[in-house]
Amino acid sequence: MKEKNEKKNELICFDELEPTKVEWLWFPYIPFGKVTILQGYPGCGKSTFILSLAAALSKGLNLPLSEIKHDPCNIVYQNTEDGLEDTVLPRFLLAQGDTHKLFTINEKERFVTFDDVRIAETIKATNCKLLVLDPLSAYIGDVNMNVSNKVRMQFRPLINVANETGCAIVIIAHLNKSRSANPMENSSGSGDIIGAVRSALVIAQDPDNLEKYYFFQQKNNLAKRGDTLEFKIEDGKIIFVGETDISLEAFCASHVFVPGRPDERVQDAVEIITEIMGDAPRKPAVLFRTALEEAGISDGTITSARKKLGITSKRMDGHWSWINPKCSINQ
């Protein structure tokens, strides 16, 4: 009888389950009960960005462009690259966070890894809503990140903890040095790292305007991909500018240097955009996108053409419009 019960416990019948809705810490970027990854090149503000979000959560403030209201909550932040007293704490204070709400697991005696029981224990002890592991390479454990089956196994304990506790877990990771037009090729390690998480986010600095930063959603398994956000960093503080219609794919494609790449397609795109825009101060973005896609012009080429013409974009009345710099928008 005991053997039968043990075998029964190994099976879950879906008839015994109740459907549940995904809850969000920050819709549609960071879900509760799941693992999210935030990637970027060194020095692009990843840690400053996540600490800015943590500071807002510690005060019960809405996250950027979010209507979800949270009570002030606890955050656990693990970081192996920056000093707690001289870097992490000053950044958090600069973002006006409540230090009573920020915690870290002591790693002086023993480093934290994905399968560390202290992660679940700390989430339960603090009732934190967000746990951050910064960076991925320090916390994934003793594994070759380029080996797919090994990576998946390393992620399983962390995924289980997120699911069981309902905590949002965010991993910070560096992009590799390839700077490919394909965003997936820019992620460090095996593609299974992106496959293991439910939401993948990317922060990038505009090489043509170093004061401009973008926050992209590369992948979302739980909802429609979120809009790209533009922000800037002033005196160490994150300041959100608003939404922009540039995609991660377009950004990567337009900032890849390919020796000898002809610019005929850019000129084709310039001519199409100029013809559609005419003398109008603005027109719906969909008009341009449709015509350019029908002409077989890539996102990267479109971005280059827009840059050449000075065309900007803005959400107006619920739709994206392209703005003609030669005409006043008040016309």
Side-chain angles (χ1 to χ4, degrees), residues 268-279 288 309 326:
D268 290 342
V270 165
E271 291 174 3
I272 292 171
I273 295 170
T274 302
E275 182 178 349
I276 294 173
M277 183 66 78
D279 295 325
F288 301 94
L309 292 168
K326 297 177 182 178

Side-chain angles (χ1 to χ4, degrees), residues 149-331:
N149 61 332
K150 298 290 186 182
V151 165
R152 286 282 188 175
M153 291 299 294
Q154 290 295 110
F155 267 83
R156 285 186 66 178
L158 197 64
I159 291 169
N160 289 341
V161 168
N163 182 55
E164 291 166 6
T165 63
C167 181
I169 296 180
V170 175
I171 302 167
I172 309 298
H174 296 306
L175 292 170
N176 62 40
K177 297 178 181 179
S178 67
R179 294 187 183 271
S180 167
N182 180 354
M184 282 297 294
E185 294 177 0
N186 294 322
S187 297
S188 293
S190 161
D192 272 30
I193 291 175
I194 302 300
V197 302
R198 301 301 85 190
S199 173
L201 311 169
V202 175
I203 285 178
Q205 187 177 26
D206 190 333
D208 300 319
N209 181 353
L210 298 181
E211 295 182 357
K212 186 181 290 188
Y213 296 80
Y214 296 109
F215 172 77
F216 301 99
Q217 185 160 48
Q218 178 180 357
K219 165 192 167 177
N220 189 339
N221 281 116
L222 305 170
K224 183 180 177 182
R225 276 207 298 180
D227 287 331
T228 300
L229 306 182
E230 181 186 332
F231 68 95
K232 54 187 177 179
I233 303 176
E234 290 186 357
D235 299 323
K237 294 178 68 174
I238 300 290
I239 299 172
F240 283 89
V241 176
E243 298 162 291
T244 178
D245 68 343
I246 185 172
S247 68
L248 177 61
E249 290 78 9
F251 179 86
C252 290
S254 64
H255 294 100
V256 174
F257 175 69
V258 181
R261 183 173 70 177
D263 63 356
E264 287 91 346
R265 296 300 281 161
V266 174
Q267 188 55 41
D268 290 342
V270 165
E271 291 174 3
I272 292 171
I273 295 170
T274 302
E275 182 178 349
I276 294 173
M277 183 66 78
D279 295 325
R282 65 175 182 270
K283 282 191 177 179
V286 66
L287 296 179
F288 301 94
R289 290 286 181 189
T290 301
L292 291 162
E293 287 171 6
E294 286 178 353
I297 295 175
S298 69
D299 278 349
T301 302
I302 293 170
T303 300
S304 298
R306 283 180 55 184
K307 194 173 293 183
K308 194 170 184 178
L309 292 168
I311 298 290
T312 58
S313 59
K314 185 176 182 181
R315 188 190 285 276
M316 307 177 75
D317 301 322
H319 301 283
W320 285 101
S321 293
W322 284 13
I323 311 300
N324 186 351
K326 297 177 182 178
C327 300
S328 169
I329 197 156
N330 296 316
Q331 280 183 248

Side-chain angles (χ1 to χ4, degrees), residues 138-151:
Y139 291 99
I140 194 170
D142 186 16
V143 64
N144 184 340
M145 292 201 302
N146 293 299
V147 180
S148 297
N149 61 332
K150 298 290 186 182
V151 165

Side-chain angles (χ1 to χ4, degrees), residues 63-111:
L63 296 181
L65 303 177
S66 174
E67 297 178 357
I68 300 175
K69 181 69 176 176
H70 297 292
D71 291 331
C73 62
N74 292 334
I75 304 99
V76 174
Y77 181 70
Q78 300 300 130
N79 183 297
T80 61
E81 295 188 333
D82 299 314
L84 298 180
E85 295 90 346
D86 61 18
T87 305
V88 174
L89 180 58
R91 283 176 178 170
F92 189 69
L93 289 172
L94 197 59
Q96 301 180 326
D98 181 351
T99 53
H100 294 91
K101 299 289 187 181
L102 186 65
F103 298 85
T104 192
I105 300 169
N106 190 337
E107 297 191 64
K108 289 183 179 179
E109 299 292 331
R110 181 161 53 97
F111 297 137

Side-chain angles (χ1 to χ4, degrees), residues 3-14:
E3 186 180 346
K4 276 190 176 182
N5 288 337
E6 285 178 352
K7 287 184 178 179
K8 185 178 179 182
N9 290 337
E10 292 177 0
L11 289 174
I12 297 174
C13 178
F14 274 74

